Amino acid sequence: MSKKLIRLADCCMAFDGELVLDHINLYINDSEFLTLLGPSGCGKTTTLRIIGGFITPTSGEVLFDDVRMNDIPPNLRKVNTVFQRYALFPHLNVFENVAFGLRIPKTVEEGGRKRKVRVPEAEIRQRVLEMLEVVSLKGFDQRRISELSGGQQQRVAIARALVNRPKVLLLDEPLGALDLRLRKDMQSELKRIQQQLGITFIYVTHDQEEALAMSDTVVVMDQGRIQQIGTPEDIYNEPKNAFVADFIGESNILDGIMHEDFVVEFFNRKFKCLDKGFAPMEPVDVVIRPEDIDIVPAEKGALRGTVTSVTFKGVHYDTIVDFKGFKWLIQTTDYHSEGETIGIVLNPDDIHIMRKSQYSGMFGDYSSYSEEYDDLEDVSLLEEEEGGDEE
Amino acid sequence: MKSKRALFAVPYVGWLALFVVAPIVMVVIYAFSTAGGGFTLENFARMGTYATVFTRSFWLALLATLICLLIGYPVAYFISREGPRFQRVAMMLVMLPMWMNFLLRTYSWMSILENTGLLNRLFQSIGLIGLVNRIFGTSYDYFPMINTQGAVVLGMVYNYLPFMILPIYSVIEKMDGSLLEAARDLGANGAGVFRKVILPLSLPGVLSGVTMVFVPAVSTFAISRLLGGGTQMMLGDLIEQQFLGGAYNPHLGAAISLVMMVIVVVCMTVMNHFGEGEEQAVML
Amino acid sequence: MKKANRTGSRFLIGLMFLFLYLPIILLIVFSFNAGDSSAVWRGFSLNWYRELFQNRLIMESLYMTLLVSLLATVISTAAGTFAAIGLYSLSRRKRDAILMVNDIPMMNADIVTGVSLCLFFVAFFQGWGGFARWFNGVQSAVELPTRLTLGFGTLLLAHVAFNIPYVILNVSPRLRQMDKNLVDAAQDLGCTWMQAFWKVILPEIKPGIVSGALIAFTMSVDDFVISYFTAGSATSTLAMTIYGMTKRRITPEINAVSTLLFLTVLVLLVVVNVREAQLEHREASREPRKPTLMERIAGRTNTPGWRWAKRGAGAAAICCFVAVVVFLTGATSSQPVVNVCSWGEYIDEDLIGQFEEATGIRVNYQTVESNETLYSLLKSGGADYDVVVPSDYMIAKLIEEDMLEELDYSNIPNYALIDERFKGLSFDPGERYTVPYTWGTLGIIYNRNMVDGEITSWSALYDDRYAGNVLLINNSRDAMGAALMYLGYSVNTTDPDEIRAAFQVIEDANRRGVFQGRVMDEVFQKMEGGNAAIATYYAGDYLSMVENQADGVDLAFVIPEEGSNWFVDAMCVLKDAPHKEAAEAWINFIASTEANLANMDYIWYASPNKEALEQYPAYYEETYGEELDQETYEIMAAPPEVLDRCEVYENLPQETLSLYSDLWVELGVG
């Protein structure tokens, strides 16, 4: 792989004695699109702010190119940030907002003498206009910020950061305030820009779909700890624990016992699987993705259950099935009416085995399934923003 | 980063301690001590002599505040219903008199209210005085207006009216128009909207207006002298006399100040209690 | 329906504005009056505007007002802004606690703020004096001043103290509204914290700062009460000068200066409003916004060379401001100076200029209202005078309390010119402390057109026939003195029964509504305008009232047959006065025959200078080309047979004084 650009070594962060980051170890490669993913309060924004230099970790080291950066203020880091809700300067127009960073004189050391260097006005003009073109805002340079739509403001914020040619761009929930449609457009736009410029993006979001769609690497965080690092495929297919399994996509998670390699028992039945390396008779979590489950007539199924609710989702149906008191979510394209008894078939590659963790037993049961789940997530995110800035 | 910025507050805290807290502590110390420096309660014991001044001050200030409210509220309300241009000019005109020294403006009232002043001459020329004399069988050459309690109240209303209009106006003006529409939608008529929505919502403005009028009114000292002719001694005059006037006694003056301050604070607390749950009183 | 509503509401708004502006319009109109009355129109003239620039008292206090307001605004705006920023990085609980203290000066009555600051300063000065003496004692490298007084410094501190809360109040909402990420964003883009402050925070909260500064400036200019208690005696703002004048007679120059100030602000506000309206109009019509001139200039000057030029210009402007302030304050402090305190309208002001020209000593001339006020000022440590001009009984009191410095008469050769009659009087029998300034009598001033026949007795003061038309003098000694003489007692009696009897006379009359008011110098305006029939006041003042009396007013003066008080006002130097030599030079100058003649002509009080007193009729004839009326001269300088009927006030023992003040309070309170 390409070289390591940024390294967080054993970083901890505490606010008022409360541990927010718990021994974070993370490296970020050059030209990588890395996403910090997790629910509100998981420490992802804090991690980003440590990299940006807005806060200093309580312990541990931040290394850029193997140089310790803990005490370097943000203005001296080759890192730029796109802020939540953009933080554009309302008193400046689009052009001046983008030119802001270029107008700050940089101190350069030359032969032991410190000298202030300014970017010439002509170059500023050229670079700003160029960058506005990159973010598809050509001709908007004299507009006032208040005259722009949310999506346009978003682009200005990106241009403002990128015009300084940072090695790393930090994006803190940049699409959170946009509507769904715009969000999708901006996702591909961001990916395009990242590939066009070939720089590192560190992206913070709580939206797993966004994370999976854009990232090279996803870092799943919860309660100040990294739960899993991997490519989107890895994370989805091989979740390390119940939290990741539940947070990334939908999962049915059951208690199981690993009898031997490739054999797992749950619901008092043994199933074949593709996992090995567990101790004999080790209790494990078993993950079964709802879309992997095939429904068959009751008599042909390996397990039998009763449909308790059906919701039409467009491409598929969300079917909740009761198996001996444990409710599963199954996604199929076929319709099964409520009260119907059905059977299911599980293939060995549909069954994922995870070691027991602190999250075991907390997720994966759909008895309290609610469609509003996603919306609630957004609300709590907003609360976190308000509260987080109070410090 | 942020903790560094918080350091900016440190000098100000020092400043507050020195120039706000310490002076008030001085007032307390003076109020409880004699010229020799010993502790005493005598300054408060003597307060009984001045009970009439206290009641007069509070009564007149209350009256002035009430009149200010009766004039100020409708005016503020009506202004807020005008176009933005009218509003801006009107508010400017409300503030503008502050740029003419209040003593001069009050003095000007003197020449209006005098026995041979503008008003009396006007009444004479339109025959009002004669008319009154004929109807009531009196024999006025003029209406005595100057050097009465009425004149003092008028002076206070005149000087402090802008402080009533301003906060009320700024609250009503900021009121969300859709609230009024919602109220109408829910079936309230014009008077109902006013009583059920506008009035309760403008209460914080009213409270801060009342405070801003009542506090200076109760402690005024020049107005009562100019328009009251020295016969309507008020708390402000009493305090001034103890510090810079004939009856030099700063200890008694401090005690009177303290008592006044405490009464005002209690009044304000009780009043603000009514508005509890409302937003913080709005100033300017 | 709706239409009619609006007319009604506009009518009400109009009425309210009429109420607000009637006195102001009157004031402006009378600033163009040819005469000097504020009630009688004598034709249009710009005279008072010309006079204004000659009037040193007004110009100096105007300058003082602007200087203090400007400095206080600049300081409090800067300090308030930083404090607000600091407060917003504190936790909410701490911030709320501090803001509560911050609100105290705004919620407290002005008079309490003023009084508390005054007490605080005085206490601090006392503490400082002790410290400085100790410090000077233990080392000799640095000499600390041991005597601090209220003055410009305390005035400025007080103004800053009451302005800061308003600045914070205006800046805070802006800070609260500001996106907290803006500063992070600026730093992220390469700014240091300081750069972020200048480039982002400041522009963001600028509207709050501007409105805070404007309110602070307005409050400062408008403030009277707090200044009054903290400025001490040697510094006087416009409001304080006006306060001094409201007691006597508002000179039309004050109307003129206020009109100028008012119109300036009016024009400024109109300009700002018109511009805002234009801007809004343009925005409403959705015209593309053209860069304003300033923005274009800013864009064009954004090159390194220009940047240095701009910085240079900024630095130069700041230097200029500092230089002007330093120069203006320095110009007044480097010169030798003498602080004189006297009564209002009690000197021919040309004399001040003449003295300054002759000696190079700057005269800081202040006035107070009465002997009692002067005493309070001296006691409270608020005064920094060298020369004071109290009356006889107060001089005795000051000597008794060791508050006066002995004079070196060899520096005052003109003392020899003082008539022997006025030397070695009861208050200064040893001729050690005083040089007489004027003398005169107390009597009844009445309007012939408002009373029946001639008045000859004090009884007129308590006569029901004149109910509502008598002005009681607002000074316990004089008011009680008149009543004592009416009853045939001595004005210096210490017999409580006699004093109570005299008080009863006044109180009864008061209860019957005989008195229209209790006045000191307000008596001028009232008597000249015919607003009262009878008053007790001083002979010299009667003569200046006659000069200014309105049409239909015919004033007369009488020393009642029961006798009256005659008084001497004398110049003295205060204990430890910092400029004793200059003070003696001033006293010597004022004691000269020329100065006495000029003063006598100007203030109509009799001179103690023998030559001046004798020469005055000739001087008058020479100056005005007509003979001086003998009756007028005798009112001014009462002949010996009249003086024989009169008594000088003596300093009374403490218990008698307490009785006086208790009774007087009783009258005021009742």
Side-chain angles (χ1 to χ4, degrees):
Chain A
M1 266 204 120
S2 46
K3 75 173 208 180
K4 293 170 186 173
L5 190 67
I6 298 177
R7 215 150 59 80
L8 299 183
D10 234 13
C11 278
C12 293
M13 187 75 211
F15 291 122
D16 295 333
E18 200 183 319
L19 204 60
V20 180
L21 285 188
D22 189 359
H23 298 280
I24 297 290
N25 282 291
L26 176 68
Y27 60 82
I28 296 147
N29 292 317
D30 202 5
S31 311
E32 181 180 30
F33 196 123
L34 177 134
T35 301
L36 299 171
L37 175 66
S40 57
C42 74
K44 55 192 193 299
T45 297
T46 308
T47 310
L48 194 78
R49 289 173 67 80
I50 286 178
I51 299 173
F54 304 113
I55 47 179
T56 318
T58 322
S59 69
E61 287 195 318
V62 186
L63 303 158
F64 283 28
D65 287 329
D66 290 327
V67 180
R68 189 185 144 96
M69 298 292 278
N70 285 36
D71 303 316
I72 307 291
N75 49 316
L76 300 179
R77 296 190 184 196
K78 276 303 266 178
V79 166
N80 285 108
T81 310
V82 176
F83 289 86
Q84 237 167 27
R85 276 174 285 173
Y86 328 130
L88 297 175
F89 305 124
H91 62 288
L92 301 176
N93 63 18
V94 170
F95 184 93
E96 287 303 322
N97 256 287
V98 178
F100 190 93
L102 298 177
R103 291 207 194 283
I104 310 292
K106 303 275 178 300
T107 312
V108 195
E109 240 182 90
E110 242 173 40
R113 270 180 58 224
K114 284 192 177 172
R115 203 161 60 85
K116 288 211 163 174
V117 181
R118 279 171 193 281
V119 183
E121 193 60 32
E123 190 189 330
I124 292 180
R125 210 177 155 67
Q126 187 217 335
R127 276 169 69 175
V128 170
L129 294 179
E130 234 173 63
M131 197 45 73
L132 285 176
E133 218 176 316
V134 171
V135 297
S136 321
L137 278 181
K138 200 176 172 185
F140 282 72
D141 52 324
Q142 290 306 318
R143 292 286 188 94
R144 272 197 262 175
I145 296 304
S146 55
E147 295 169 353
L148 300 181
S149 70
Q152 288 166 336
Q153 291 188 14
Q154 173 66 73
R155 289 161 202 265
V156 176
I158 294 168
R160 184 179 70 175
L162 287 176
V163 80
N164 305 293
R165 297 179 183 156
K167 282 189 179 160
V168 180
L169 184 69
L170 309 179
L171 301 103
D172 187 4
E173 302 263 5
L175 308 183
L178 302 181
D179 62 52
L180 189 65
R181 187 61 210 243
L182 211 49
R183 196 147 34 163
K184 296 264 186 231
D185 289 348
M186 281 306 293
Q187 279 176 16
S188 49
E189 184 92 6
L190 276 174
K191 190 72 192 160
R192 175 184 66 75
I193 292 170
Q194 192 251 343
Q195 278 160 357
Q196 187 181 337
L197 299 177
I199 61 173
T200 307
F201 274 35
I202 303 178
Y203 192 97
V204 162
T205 184
H206 69 281
D207 181 338
Q208 41 107 2
E209 236 175 276
E210 208 168 277
L212 297 180
M214 299 164 76
S215 321
D216 299 322
T217 307
V218 177
V219 179
V220 185
M221 296 180 70
D222 187 51
Q223 297 183 352
R225 284 193 213 110
I226 292 178
Q227 303 297 337
Q228 187 168 4
I229 305 178
T231 62
E233 290 84 355
D234 284 347
I235 301 265
Y236 189 85
N237 293 330
E238 297 295 336
K240 273 217 179 122
N241 60 31
F243 172 79
V244 178
D246 182 74
F247 195 75
I248 312 290
E250 304 285 356
S251 304
N252 300 293
I253 304 173
L254 323 141
D255 289 327
I257 296 168
M258 205 64 187
H259 279 253
E260 54 194 88
D261 284 353
F262 313 122
V263 178
V264 63
E265 181 205 317
F266 54 92
F267 281 121
N268 297 324
R269 285 198 51 171
K270 287 183 188 166
F271 290 87
K272 276 195 176 161
C273 62
L274 303 177
D275 300 83
K276 57 174 182 171
F278 295 86
M281 299 307 284
E282 181 180 339
V284 291
D285 285 336
V286 180
V287 177
I288 299 162
R289 294 287 182 186
E291 70 273 18
D292 291 341
I293 304 169
D294 295 323
I295 297 183
V296 294
E299 58 281 7
K300 291 184 189 168
L303 290 167
R304 233 179 293 172
T306 316
V307 176
T308 59
S309 102
V310 186
T311 315
F312 179 57
K313 286 288 192 158
V315 190
H316 62 261
Y317 292 93
D318 273 0
T319 310
I320 306 288
V321 183
D322 190 342
F323 291 100
K324 296 177 185 170
F326 189 93
K327 287 186 178 165
W328 289 37
L329 172 67
I330 302 173
Q331 294 173 340
T332 59
T333 47
D334 307 319
Y335 175 76
H336 299 275
S337 56
E338 256 173 62
E340 199 178 324
T341 307
I342 52 145
I344 54 166
V345 177
L346 295 169
N347 300 320
D349 60 345
D350 298 334
I351 299 173
H352 309 289
I353 309 297
M354 306 178 304
R355 284 183 203 282
K356 282 282 179 190
S357 69
Q358 53 163 325
Y359 295 105
S360 299
M362 290 167 65
F363 304 106
D365 178 0
Y366 284 84
S367 36
S368 59
Y369 175 72
S370 157
E371 287 184 68
E372 285 154 5
Y373 186 73
D374 284 335
D375 297 335
L376 286 171
E377 178 90 11
D378 283 340
V379 172
S380 63
L381 173 87
L382 281 173
E383 278 166 1
E384 179 213 24
E385 283 167 9
E386 306 293 346
D389 285 332
E390 266 311 306
E391 288 308 314
Chain B
M1 287 294 131
K2 292 205 163 172
S3 60
K4 227 185 267 175
R5 229 175 302 162
L7 288 180
F8 283 178
V10 173
Y12 186 58
V13 172
W15 169 274
L16 283 178
L18 206 57
F19 289 101
V20 176
V21 178
I24 289 178
V25 171
M26 284 308 300
V27 171
V28 176
I29 293 176
Y30 261 75
F32 285 101
S33 63
T34 59
F39 175 84
T40 179
L41 285 174
E42 201 219 332
N43 296 323
F44 293 95
R46 285 182 63 180
M47 210 68 70
T49 329
Y50 304 105
T52 30
V53 182
F54 271 91
T55 43
R56 182 192 292 137
S57 285
F58 279 89
W59 164 240
L60 293 186
L62 205 67
L63 210 60
T65 310
L66 208 67
I67 296 173
C68 276
L69 185 62
L70 287 180
I71 302 175
Y73 196 100
V75 167
Y77 176 64
F78 289 142
I79 289 178
S80 74
R81 291 199 319 175
E82 297 284 345
R85 218 189 159 122
F86 187 103
Q87 288 190 24
R88 201 170 36 223
V89 173
M91 286 332 279
M92 191 190 88
L93 285 178
V94 169
M95 284 300 289
L96 194 60
M98 275 191 69
W99 279 91
M100 186 69 100
N101 185 282
F102 87 98
L103 292 163
L104 275 183
R105 282 180 282 137
T106 311
Y107 192 81
S108 197
W109 271 109
M110 247 169 108
S111 56
I112 296 174
L113 298 178
E114 286 285 11
N115 295 344
T116 59
L118 208 67
L119 268 183
N120 266 321
R121 272 186 275 165
L122 181 75
F123 292 155
Q124 245 152 17
S125 63
I126 60 171
L128 190 68
I129 293 177
L131 191 71
V132 168
N133 283 341
R134 237 174 303 130
I135 294 174
F136 297 101
T138 48
S139 57
Y140 284 124
D141 292 328
Y142 48 80
F143 295 133
M145 291 180 284
I146 193 83
N147 300 351
T148 59
Q149 291 201 344
V152 177
V153 172
L154 178 122
M156 296 200 280
V157 169
Y158 174 76
N159 272 294
Y160 305 130
L161 183 58
F163 296 123
M164 182 64 86
I165 297 179
L166 228 57
I168 296 180
Y169 165 80
S170 63
V171 168
I172 298 184
E173 187 251 352
K174 281 197 199 101
M175 222 172 267
D176 190 348
S178 58
L179 278 179
L180 310 187
E181 282 166 13
R184 276 200 174 271
D185 180 64
L186 295 170
N189 59 9
V193 170
F194 182 80
R195 213 182 54 241
K196 296 231 168 87
V197 181
I198 300 179
L199 202 59
L201 280 179
S202 58
L203 205 61
V206 171
L207 289 183
S208 95
V210 166
T211 313
M212 285 170 79
V213 172
F214 184 75
V215 172
V218 82
S219 64
T220 183
F221 78 90
I223 295 173
S224 53
R225 228 202 45 195
L226 288 173
L227 297 178
T231 55
Q232 310 295 333
M233 191 189 253
M234 299 201 27
L235 278 177
D237 303 87
L238 199 58
I239 295 173
E240 189 226 358
Q241 280 211 343
Q242 307 306 320
F243 283 95
L244 295 176
Y248 181 70
N249 186 349
H251 299 276
L252 180 60
I256 299 170
S257 305
L258 192 64
V259 171
M260 183 175 84
M261 200 158 77
V262 168
I263 296 181
V264 167
V265 167
V266 168
C267 286
M268 294 300 132
T269 316
V270 168
M271 202 181 63
N272 278 316
H273 204 72
F274 285 120
E276 211 175 27
E278 305 285 344
E279 244 183 288
Q280 269 256 318
V282 214
M283 309 271 300
L284 291 182
Chain C
M1 172 76 193
K2 188 127 198 176
K3 185 94 184 167
N5 245 341
R6 185 141 290 192
T7 336
S9 70
R10 287 207 172 162
F11 180 70
L12 188 81
I13 295 172
L15 266 185
M16 195 267 315
F17 279 124
L18 180 71
F19 173 62
L20 275 188
Y21 281 87
L22 180 69
I24 295 178
I25 293 167
L26 210 66
L27 224 139
I28 294 177
V29 167
F30 276 97
S31 75
F32 295 105
N33 191 3
D36 66 356
S37 160
S38 52
V40 185
W41 181 252
R42 294 240 159 84
F44 179 87
S45 144
L46 285 175
N47 225 352
W48 298 114
Y49 288 84
R50 261 194 305 279
E51 297 264 320
L52 166 65
F53 294 98
Q54 316 289 323
N55 188 320
R56 206 169 107 177
L57 188 64
I58 294 179
M59 289 313 278
E60 267 179 16
S61 56
L62 174 67
Y63 158 72
M64 184 58 68
T65 305
L66 293 179
L67 184 71
V68 164
S69 306
L70 218 58
L71 278 176
T73 304
V74 170
I75 296 171
S76 55
T77 304
T81 304
F82 277 101
I85 292 173
L87 288 182
Y88 269 81
S89 18
L90 290 178
S91 68
R92 175 162 295 160
R93 192 150 17 105
K94 278 189 213 153
R95 185 201 309 161
D96 286 351
I98 295 175
L99 283 179
M100 213 178 71
V101 179
N102 177 61
D103 285 348
I104 292 177
M106 280 189 299
M107 298 306 294
N108 231 340
D110 278 359
I111 196 167
V112 176
T113 307
V115 159
S116 66
L117 281 168
C118 172
L119 288 177
F120 169 72
F121 286 135
V122 169
F124 173 78
F125 292 159
Q126 281 165 0
W128 171 262
F131 168 76
R133 268 189 296 279
W134 168 81
F135 188 77
N136 289 341
V138 296
Q139 54 87 49
S140 53
V142 190
E143 175 86 14
L144 290 179
T146 53
R147 187 158 170 261
L148 297 176
T149 49
L150 297 177
F152 182 79
T154 50
L155 180 65
L156 184 61
L157 281 174
H159 275 239
V160 171
F162 77 73
N163 277 339
I164 287 184
Y166 289 100
V167 176
I168 292 185
L169 192 76
N170 277 276
V171 173
S172 294
R174 281 270 153 189
L175 278 170
R176 217 177 308 139
Q177 282 162 22
M178 193 176 82
D179 184 345
K180 290 187 183 82
N181 279 329
L182 284 185
V183 180
D184 284 348
Q187 284 183 288
D188 182 70
L189 294 168
C191 288
T192 58
W193 196 86
M194 240 13 233
Q195 281 171 318
F197 172 77
W198 287 109
K199 283 174 176 271
V200 178
I201 300 184
L202 210 57
E204 268 302 288
I205 60 177
K206 199 163 76 182
I209 297 177
V210 169
S211 65
L214 278 179
I215 288 177
F217 190 68
T218 313
M219 289 303 202
S220 262
V221 171
D222 193 56
D223 173 69
F224 159 65
V225 178
I226 296 173
S227 306
Y228 182 61
F229 283 98
T230 53
S233 53
T235 318
S236 181
T237 65
L238 197 58
M240 292 165 70
T241 305
I242 292 172
Y243 183 64
M245 285 187 178
T246 51
K247 295 174 173 175
R248 169 166 281 238
R249 183 192 301 122
I250 293 272
T251 68
E253 290 109 308
I254 281 283
N255 289 353
V257 72
S258 303
T259 302
L260 285 181
L261 207 62
F262 184 79
L263 292 181
T264 312
V265 173
L266 181 65
V267 168
L268 275 178
L269 282 179
V270 166
V271 168
V272 168
N273 257 289
V274 167
R275 273 201 47 190
E276 254 174 41
Q278 278 173 346
L279 259 172
E280 229 160 72
H281 182 250
R282 204 177 302 145
E283 242 158 65
S285 62
R286 285 212 155 261
E287 273 174 51
R289 207 176 70 96
K290 287 190 209 112
T292 64
L293 183 66
M294 283 314 285
E295 277 170 343
R296 260 179 290 161
I297 291 173
R300 208 159 297 160
T301 54
N302 221 332
T303 58
W306 273 105
R307 252 191 300 261
W308 283 110
K310 276 195 286 186
R311 269 180 215 167
I318 293 171
C319 288
C320 278
F321 179 73
V322 171
V324 166
V325 170
V326 167
F327 172 76
L328 287 172
T329 46
T332 54
S333 65
S334 62
Q335 227 178 328
V337 80
V338 57
N339 298 321
V340 179
C341 179
S342 181
W343 317 130
E345 301 252 327
Y346 210 47
I347 190 171
D348 177 358
E349 284 182 26
D350 292 345
L351 289 175
I352 298 175
Q354 286 168 25
F355 174 74
E356 287 181 340
E357 214 166 285
T359 60
I361 298 170
R362 212 185 96 83
V363 179
N364 188 1
Y365 192 85
Q366 302 293 328
T367 61
V368 292
E369 181 186 9
S370 68
N371 281 302
E372 285 71 21
T373 310
L374 175 69
Y375 179 78
S376 300
L377 264 174
L378 295 178
K379 273 290 178 190
S380 70
D384 195 14
Y385 307 125
D386 299 304
V387 181
V388 290
V389 194
S391 306
D392 30 48
Y393 70 99
M394 186 53 68
I395 294 174
K397 187 177 168 92
L398 292 176
I399 292 174
E400 200 179 286
E401 298 186 17
D402 194 26
M403 291 167 76
L404 296 184
E405 188 82 45
E406 286 195 29
L407 294 177
D408 181 351
Y409 284 94
S410 63
N411 290 332
I412 312 171
N414 285 338
Y415 184 65
L417 300 172
I418 304 292
D419 194 327
E420 291 301 324
R421 282 196 289 166
F422 307 112
K423 286 183 179 174
L425 292 171
S426 61
F427 54 86
D428 183 17
E431 297 182 44
R432 282 152 59 203
Y433 297 100
T434 58
V435 174
Y437 183 76
T438 52
W439 60 279
T441 49
L442 183 74
I444 295 177
I445 299 167
Y446 61 98
N447 184 345
R448 286 198 185 93
N449 295 340
M450 292 174 79
V451 301
D452 313 324
E454 283 203 10
I455 285 180
T456 54
S457 157
W458 290 112
S459 64
L461 289 184
Y462 319 111
D463 193 332
D464 283 332
R465 276 183 300 170
Y466 309 124
N469 275 321
V470 179
L471 296 173
L472 182 64
I473 192 162
N474 195 9
N475 163 335
S476 58
R477 196 75 205 259
D478 286 330
M480 295 283 284
L484 284 168
M485 284 179 286
Y486 166 65
L487 295 176
Y489 302 133
S490 160
V491 293
N492 295 317
T493 180
T494 54
D495 180 349
D497 293 336
E498 290 181 3
I499 294 172
R500 279 181 204 283
F503 176 71
Q504 208 54 49
V505 170
I506 299 175
E507 207 194 11
D508 286 348
N510 189 40
R511 197 165 305 128
R512 297 195 310 269
V514 174
F515 302 127
Q516 186 190 94
R518 304 202 298 173
V519 297
M520 280 303 283
D521 285 349
E522 296 91 334
V523 73
F524 286 88
Q525 198 251 8
K526 305 252 182 210
M527 292 305 290
E528 287 163 10
N531 290 306
I534 298 172
T536 321
Y537 227 62
Y538 311 105
D541 295 322
Y542 155 72
L543 292 169
S544 82
M545 282 179 215
V546 169
E547 270 206 333
N548 292 298
Q549 66 191 10
D551 298 333
V553 176
D554 184 10
L555 295 180
F557 179 82
V558 64
I559 292 175
E561 59 206 6
E562 296 97 336
S564 183
N565 155 253
W566 79 280
F567 63 87
V568 177
D569 286 355
M571 297 178 277
C572 335
V573 173
L574 287 173
K575 200 91 189 165
D576 299 325
H579 315 102
K580 182 158 187 263
E581 275 172 39
E584 284 169 348
W586 168 257
I587 292 174
N588 187 47
F589 173 79
I590 291 298
S592 71
T593 306
E594 296 73 30
N596 268 287
L597 278 170
N599 254 348
M600 195 167 166
D601 187 52
Y602 187 84
I603 61 178
W604 301 102
Y605 275 68
S607 162
N609 178 307
K610 199 165 195 237
E611 284 175 15
L613 197 58
E614 282 163 5
Q615 288 169 15
Y616 183 67
Y619 178 88
Y620 183 89
E621 211 171 324
E622 200 179 305
T623 316
Y624 300 100
E626 56 178 271
E627 212 173 307
L628 177 64
D629 180 36
Q630 182 61 27
E631 200 187 330
T632 306
Y633 182 68
E634 284 188 0
I635 287 175
M636 203 189 291
E641 65 273 17
V642 175
L643 274 193
D644 284 346
R645 275 193 279 146
C646 299
E647 257 185 300
V648 177
Y649 290 141
E650 282 160 17
N651 187 27
L652 299 171
Q654 192 53 47
E655 52 269 34
T656 310
L657 285 177
S658 302
L659 180 60
Y660 264 73
S661 98
D662 287 349
L663 291 174
W664 197 242
V665 165
E666 211 174 292
L667 184 72
V669 165

